[in-house]
Amino acid sequence: MLRGGLTISVLVLLLAGPALAATEGERLFTRKGCVGCHILKGHPEADGTQGPDLSKLYKAKPARERAELAAFIRAPQAMKPGISMPSIGLTKAEAEAIATYLLTDRSANRR
């Protein structure tokens, strides 16, 4: 782990480009349990009912808002006190990878 909580693999993916960051974001979205609360069309495990449907987030938020979305994913209570989404201990790079994934148009990859 590097200073600031960045793992080398996540840092390399973020620097390599959005496609690789989105791939890592999808892996983290699954591994960190986001699939348990959220629906995300095109993701076979994302069928939760507690959180909002994130399927069209890429259309609603411009990619330039990735940093804001990543900050929210990392510390939802700090950005919106009282929200039911918990902080799950993500590093900044992990939250950025998930945000990149969520802001990627996955319509061509839908199953």
Side-chain angles (χ1 to χ4, degrees), residues 18-34:
L20 289 175
T23 299
E24 177 65 4
E26 179 179 15
R27 185 184 72 76
L28 289 165
F29 187 81
T30 303
R31 196 177 105 225
K32 296 293 186 171
C34 307

Side-chain angles (χ1 to χ4, degrees), residues 53-76:
D53 183 339
L54 302 176
S55 301
K56 295 182 181 175
L57 187 63
Y58 73 93
K59 289 181 180 179
K61 285 207 162 286
R64 71 179 182 277
E65 294 181 24
R66 183 179 61 88
E68 180 183 333
L69 178 60
F72 174 77
I73 291 168
R74 187 165 185 216

Side-chain angles (χ1 to χ4, degrees), residues 38 50-52 54 57 61 68-87:
H38 295 283
Q50 290 182 305
L54 302 176
L57 187 63
K61 285 207 162 286
E68 180 183 333
L69 178 60
F72 174 77
I73 291 168
R74 187 165 185 216
Q77 293 294 322
M79 305 244 345
K80 193 171 182 184
I83 193 167
S84 61
M85 182 170 160
S87 175

